[in-house]
Amino acid sequence: MRMIEMLSGQLRVDQAILTGESSSVEKDLESTIATNAVYQDKTNILFSGTVVVAGRARAVVIGVGANTAMGSIRDSMLRTDDEATPLKKKLDEFGTFLAKVIAGICVLVWIVNIGHFRDPAHGGFLRGAIHYFKIAVALAVAAIPEGLPAVVTTCLALGTKRMARLNAIVRSLPSVETLGCTTVICSDKTGTLTTNMMSVSKICVVHSIKNGPEVAEFGVSGTTYAPEGFIFDNTGVQLEFPAQLPCLLHLAMCSALCNESLLQYNPDKGNYEKIGESTEVALRVLAEKVGLPGFDSMPSALNMLSKHERASYCNHYWENQFKKVSVLEFSRDRKMMSVLCNHKQMEIMFSKGAPESIISRCTNILCNNDGSTIPMDATLRAELDSRFNSFAGKETLRCLALALKIMPMGQQILSFDDEKDLTFIGLVGMLDPPREEVRNAMISCMTAGIRVIVVTGDNKSTAESVCRKIGAFDHLVDYVGHSYTAAEFEELPGTQQTMALQRMALLTRVEPSHKRMLVEALQNQNEVVAMTGDGVNDAPALKKADIGVAMGSGTAVAKSASDMVLADDNFATIVAAVAEGRAIYNNTKQFIRYMISSNIGEVVCIFVAAVLGIPDTLAPVQLLWVNLVTDGLPATAIGFNKPDSDVMKAKPRKVSEAVVSGWLFFRYLVIGAYVGLATVAGFIWWFIYSETGPKLPYTELMNFDTCPTRETTYPCSIFEDRHPSTVAMTVLVVVEMFNALNNLSENQSLLVIPPWSNLWLVASIILTMLLHILILYVPPLSTLFSVTSLSWNEWAVILYLSFPVIIIDEVLKFFSRNSHGIRFNFRFRRYDALPKKELRDK
């Protein structure tokens, strides 16, 4: 709507839902002269969905539905397509690559054995071809990690559960991992970095003038609307009874009486809420923190009240003591409001307003040391102006001055002429306070290599002040090139915009479209962007970002557009969630590594057996058992690995980084090759060296398929014995259990992260071994899986063959920790297991 007539002294509107401004906006009838005006500049327009907090006016409707600011946000959301997460992209590429490699190996094995198709044992060329086709299929079964989708989903779900405990509620499962590679967090200021609850943080009063003007400053703690907080003097000492000081007592009276707002406790949400102007509610809370005079037990007595009673107990006390007689509403020309009160046959006028208006109307000052009233002189006036400029300028506090005046007895009506010859009580400075835990969260982000860009609809100076308080500017010498308004940023040429994006720490005076534009621009620079927000204005950017993070107290629109909701509205929770996301990715990498190295072992086992010309080491049913049961349980348990201690000290990984890079793939090959060779070695050992075996020469084993056509000193049925394949299968299972212990950490030794650091993994290994022993020693199952029971001597050999996998991986981890892996990565980078999509597309 466009304003056409003012029906009260002023009209103030809370536009936070649309623009993110921390305080209400004054509207007028004058049209704006700004070019490229943003919503904040349109002071004669009332927007759909915003709330009038003071005043009355008449306006004409100029847009409905899709033609409103809210409507344009809806259209912007509809135009946004969902992006695939980095993990999904990489797993898709990994799956495609794996399929091609497996198909190639299967065809190769079949072709290598073409010469054996006509062997007499097969009974013809066609049967020989079918036999080796079965081996190729067994190879495919061995190579494909069937449990991978289930394990990835389980790991993400476990991460989601852990994040819920951190107050981060995940709405999109794959987005859990996306947090781990976040490089930029675009954070809304109001309500995320700050509490969005205006609070008085500074008080300035005149102490005495005996030795020249002595001005006292007090600090006020507490960052929410809760009447909980203390008042400190300028040395940082807490005042036990603030209401005993005359100026603080009269400040509390004026704050309670010259006030049109309400403060109440909401039991459903468990917090204190405002009704009315946020600056007035801040004064109500200040009155509660000052307390009441004459009660030595005041602080503890107030704490014994219920939260509902405590919300406005002191305010109600003053309202009962002083009866309101007349009110002069706030007006733009006076920039102040006054209220006439009656108290014990005495008429008192309390006034509050802009410091420049109040101080200029004051002729006296109330002293804080003895409650005396002294005349205001030029020196005092200059000192108060200086303090006001310090509060409003350097500290960017929103300032109000409070004053009083004793009126003639029996006066019932106030006029504008009464607002002179006032007695100055004090100056209060208020702000939308930063959350206490945000500063440490900012430091964690910088340590982790994550850049934070504060994005807000507020004005530049206020936002810069908040950024200084939370540490967003700690690494900067000056703010030039790091702090922009949306208009300044849009006016930059293309190349300068690119440079500005790489250095930006703060963007102010933004509209919803600017937030979306910022996210797109950062994504074009290959950044992984997390966007936080709570208002309807944030929804398009939340949907466009790689991970949208909505506030629990935010609008339903913002939550529905997000991937994750912060139940406690706390920026620090995002940092904890990033650490969790990184841990999840590391665990995902660990179980992919475990499954692939195990599967490479199975492929090597079958391939080597085919090349050497020895009998099949494993039957297809045995391979399936190993893949589905013995691999699956430990792989799932790896998802419970604890995060490495340095998880938030590393830089974010690049989106283009393969899940399996060159050096890692080399490690997989080494471990996989050992797994396969140990399995084949167990099979050959039984035939050649075992006390219970036939002790054949190696050449006889290689020529097993010609046994029926020649004379031998042993029966050909020995090649049908179940013992060798049972030994081979058990070696494969046991070596994979040891390999699972290797995967407690990518690079940390087992001496640093011992097996009992993940009891789920230990339990899964025990359960897997019990299941394996079950199929070995229970007759119906042993028949089904073509296995037999083993002797103690055979178990000892199995352990001898299996344990070295831990020693080999410890050596490889040592190289990784001592940067040799980096050089390997350079040499092997062309063999990345995950080809980079950008290169393929080119």
Side-chain angles (χ1 to χ4, degrees):
M1 296 187 285
R2 188 180 70 250
M3 302 239 311
I4 57 173
E5 185 184 354
M6 192 75 78
L7 301 177
S8 61
Q10 65 160 350
L11 186 80
R12 300 192 70 85
V13 178
D14 182 350
Q15 296 185 164
I17 192 173
L18 188 65
T19 62
E21 291 165 291
S22 56
S23 54
S24 60
V25 179
E26 190 173 338
K27 296 292 184 179
D28 56 42
L29 303 178
E30 299 298 319
S31 57
T32 181
I33 55 171
T35 53
N36 299 323
V38 294
Y39 293 146
Q40 294 90 323
D41 297 326
K42 299 174 182 176
T43 52
N44 64 331
I45 300 294
L46 304 175
F47 298 103
S48 169
T50 59
V51 181
V52 174
V53 292
R56 296 187 303 132
R58 185 171 280 117
V60 61
V61 174
I62 56 170
V64 294
N67 295 322
T68 62
M70 291 288 181
S72 66
I73 289 171
R74 174 189 166 276
D75 293 343
S76 178
M77 286 177 66
L78 291 176
R79 288 195 299 270
T80 304
D81 297 322
D82 290 333
E83 294 279 329
T85 66
L87 181 66
K88 188 175 186 301
K89 290 175 186 172
K90 290 299 157 197
L91 287 179
D92 286 348
E93 290 174 26
F94 185 62
T96 305
F97 171 75
L98 205 59
K100 289 175 182 175
V101 170
I102 291 165
I105 291 173
C106 291
V107 171
L108 184 65
V109 167
W110 198 66
I111 291 171
V112 163
N113 284 289
I114 283 178
H116 295 286
F117 285 6
R118 296 185 186 279
D119 287 351
H122 303 315
F125 182 86
L126 185 62
R127 287 190 175 183
I130 292 169
H131 173 77
Y132 285 104
F133 177 74
K134 285 179 182 177
I135 290 177
V137 170
L139 198 64
V141 169
I144 295 169
E146 297 90 346
L148 187 60
V151 174
V152 170
T153 306
T154 305
C155 191
L156 292 175
L158 289 171
T160 300
K161 186 179 178 182
R162 284 197 294 270
M163 287 167 86
R165 291 197 198 109
L166 298 171
N167 289 316
I169 298 155
V170 176
R171 299 182 70 251
S172 168
L173 202 59
S175 66
V176 174
E177 177 277 332
T178 309
L179 271 171
C181 58
T182 298
T183 57
V184 179
I185 297 175
C186 293
S187 178
D188 186 39
K189 177 184 75 71
T190 309
T192 308
L193 300 175
T194 65
T195 60
N196 196 19
M197 297 183 190
M198 196 67 81
S199 301
V200 173
S201 63
K202 283 278 184 79
I203 299 171
C204 173
V205 298
V206 175
H207 186 67
S208 74
I209 58 161
K210 286 178 183 174
N211 304 314
E214 187 185 340
V215 176
E217 281 189 15
F218 297 94
V220 185
S221 68
T223 57
T224 66
Y225 290 142
E228 299 155 3
F230 303 101
I231 297 174
F232 302 86
D233 64 19
N234 54 6
T235 62
V237 177
Q238 181 185 325
L239 302 183
E240 196 172 355
F241 303 111
Q244 290 179 355
L245 297 175
C247 285
L248 293 184
L249 176 64
H250 285 84
L251 274 174
M253 286 183 200
C254 188
S255 297
L257 298 165
C258 198
N259 204 313
E260 301 287 304
S261 67
L262 284 176
L263 176 67
Q264 60 186 24
Y265 180 72
N266 185 332
D268 295 331
K269 293 183 180 177
N271 59 16
Y272 292 88
E273 292 181 342
K274 64 161 185 162
I275 297 175
E277 186 68 68
S278 55
T279 51
E280 292 200 328
V281 178
L283 292 175
R284 286 244 184 248
V285 176
L286 174 64
E288 296 297 329
K289 290 175 182 175
V290 171
L292 302 175
F295 298 96
D296 288 345
S297 61
M298 176 47 62
S300 55
L302 287 174
N303 291 334
M304 292 171 69
L305 297 170
S306 70
K307 289 189 175 182
H308 181 73
E309 291 173 311
R310 181 69 190 91
S312 293
Y313 185 85
C314 298
N315 281 276
H316 289 158
Y317 173 85
W318 293 121
E319 285 168 350
N320 290 333
Q321 291 290 315
F322 291 82
K323 182 188 173 189
K324 281 190 190 180
V325 178
S326 177
V327 177
L328 276 179
E329 295 285 357
F330 184 95
S331 66
R332 291 174 60 200
D333 54 342
R334 288 162 42 246
K335 292 186 178 176
M336 62 184 291
M337 78 168 283
S338 300
V339 58
L340 179 64
C341 298
N342 175 273
H343 174 66
K344 295 179 181 176
Q345 307 300 311
M346 192 166 74
E347 314 296 338
I348 305 175
M349 180 181 76
F350 292 102
S351 300
K352 76 161 192 280
E356 63 271 24
S357 295
I358 295 286
I359 293 172
S360 65
R361 294 166 191 260
C362 288
T363 54
N364 298 299
I365 287 185
L366 183 68
C367 288
N368 199 41
N369 64 335
D370 57 5
S372 61
T373 302
I374 54 163
M376 168 94 78
D377 59 22
T379 312
L380 273 171
R381 202 179 295 278
E383 179 64 24
L384 290 173
D385 282 337
S386 168
R387 292 301 170 108
F388 163 52
N389 291 330
S390 171
F391 277 18
K394 184 182 171 186
E395 300 184 49
T396 62
L397 299 178
R398 188 166 183 187
C399 296
L400 286 175
L402 292 90
L404 59 81
K405 181 181 179 183
I406 306 298
M407 303 298 287
M409 198 145 160
Q411 182 166 340
Q412 296 294 306
I413 296 175
L414 281 179
S415 69
F416 295 149
D417 293 334
D418 292 323
E419 292 180 325
K420 62 185 180 184
D421 302 328
L422 306 179
T423 300
F424 180 84
I425 305 173
L427 190 68
V428 296
M430 56 186 76
L431 78 164
D432 179 9
R435 291 177 180 272
E436 292 166 359
E437 50 288 311
V438 165
R439 189 173 185 86
N440 288 336
M442 281 283 178
I443 294 167
S444 297
C445 283
M446 289 172 191
T447 308
I450 300 168
R451 190 153 60 97
V452 179
I453 300 177
V454 179
V455 185
T456 178
D458 239 336
N459 65 63
K460 198 172 184 178
S461 59
T462 304
E464 285 179 350
S465 172
V466 170
C467 287
R468 279 195 296 274
K469 288 186 174 79
I470 62 174
F473 286 167
D474 280 4
H475 59 298
L476 306 178
V477 179
D478 61 49
Y479 309 150
V480 178
H482 299 281
S483 173
Y484 296 90
T485 65
E488 288 169 352
F489 181 71
E490 282 189 314
E491 286 167 8
L492 294 174
T495 52
Q496 286 187 32
Q497 275 194 359
T498 305
M499 294 292 292
L501 276 173
Q502 291 167 1
R503 303 175 63 205
M504 185 185 289
L506 174 65
L507 188 66
T508 54
R509 304 298 283 175
V510 298
E511 283 189 350
S513 58
H514 294 134
K515 292 187 177 184
R516 191 172 186 274
M517 172 205 72
L518 177 66
V519 170
E520 284 180 348
L522 287 167
Q523 287 174 334
N524 290 337
Q525 292 190 0
N526 294 321
E527 303 278 13
V528 178
V529 185
M531 181 82 201
T532 73
D534 58 350
V536 174
N537 59 322
D538 301 315
L542 289 173
K543 196 167 175 64
K544 179 64 183 169
D546 295 290
I547 177 156
V549 184
M551 302 297 113
S553 63
T555 58
V557 176
K559 289 178 190 173
S560 66
S562 68
D563 300 298
M564 191 172 89
V565 177
L566 300 184
D568 58 357
D569 292 10
N570 198 332
F571 180 81
T573 304
I574 302 174
V575 180
V578 168
E580 189 61 47
R582 289 186 174 189
I584 287 166
Y585 180 75
N586 289 344
N587 288 349
T588 304
K589 211 155 72 164
Q590 287 307 101
F591 64 66
I592 289 175
R593 174 189 160 192
Y594 167 69
M595 296 186 88
I596 299 302
S597 57
S598 299
N599 288 11
I600 287 173
E602 293 166 18
V603 170
V604 168
C605 163
I606 292 171
F607 193 76
V608 168
V611 169
L612 294 179
I614 61 176
D616 299 339
T617 48
L618 296 168
V621 69
Q622 292 170 340
L623 273 173
L624 274 173
W625 171 259
V626 171
N627 267 14
L628 292 177
V629 181
T630 56
D631 278 4
L633 289 172
T636 306
I638 287 169
F640 289 93
N641 282 354
K642 290 180 180 174
D644 290 348
S645 57
D646 60 351
V647 73
M648 283 300 279
K649 292 177 185 171
K651 301 297 179 197
R653 74 176 195 279
K654 293 188 175 81
V655 183
S656 56
E657 179 189 303
V659 175
V660 184
S661 60
W663 166 243
L664 262 182
F665 193 54
F666 173 77
R667 281 172 61 179
Y668 290 2
L669 286 173
V670 172
I671 297 295
Y674 180 79
V675 170
L677 292 173
T679 305
V680 173
F683 185 84
I684 294 172
W685 169 83
W686 189 84
F687 278 106
I688 298 175
Y689 299 110
S690 174
E691 294 297 325
T692 56
K695 295 191 176 179
L696 300 179
Y698 181 66
T699 51
E700 289 292 324
L701 184 61
M702 286 182 67
N703 296 315
F704 78 97
D705 50 352
T706 60
C707 179
T709 62
R710 56 192 172 85
E711 285 192 18
T712 57
T713 56
Y714 55 87
C716 291
S717 60
I718 198 73
F719 297 114
E720 304 295 325
D721 197 300
R722 291 180 184 176
H723 272 95
S725 64
T726 305
V727 170
M729 181 186 177
T730 307
V731 168
L732 183 60
V733 169
V734 175
V735 80
E736 288 187 8
M737 295 306 102
F738 283 126
N739 192 28
L741 294 176
N742 286 334
N743 288 281
L744 281 165
S745 172
E746 185 176 323
N747 294 319
Q748 295 289 345
S749 167
L750 276 172
L751 298 173
V752 177
I753 301 181
W756 52 88
S757 66
N758 185 346
L759 292 175
W760 289 100
L761 182 59
V762 174
S764 70
I765 290 172
I766 293 169
L767 180 59
T768 300
M769 289 309 300
L770 288 173
L771 287 170
H772 186 68
I773 289 166
L774 192 71
I775 68 164
L776 294 185
Y777 294 96
V778 175
L781 292 173
S782 59
T783 307
L784 179 66
F785 288 99
S786 302
V787 291
T788 188
S789 56
L790 299 174
S791 66
W792 285 113
N793 183 44
E794 287 165 335
W795 274 107
V797 170
I798 286 163
L799 288 172
Y800 282 131
L801 288 170
S802 303
F803 187 77
V805 78
I806 285 184
I807 298 167
I808 293 167
D809 202 52
E810 285 294 314
V811 172
L812 293 171
K813 284 179 179 179
F814 176 79
F815 281 118
S816 291
R817 288 195 301 275
N818 291 280
S819 78
H820 292 267
I822 295 169
R823 287 205 284 272
F824 249 107
N825 193 25
F826 177 75
R827 292 177 196 155
F828 280 84
R829 70 180 187 272
R830 74 187 62 182
Y831 304 115
D832 272 6
L834 287 189
K836 293 180 175 59
K837 189 173 187 295
E838 296 83 5
L839 297 176
R840 288 208 319 274
D841 291 345
K842 285 177 185 176

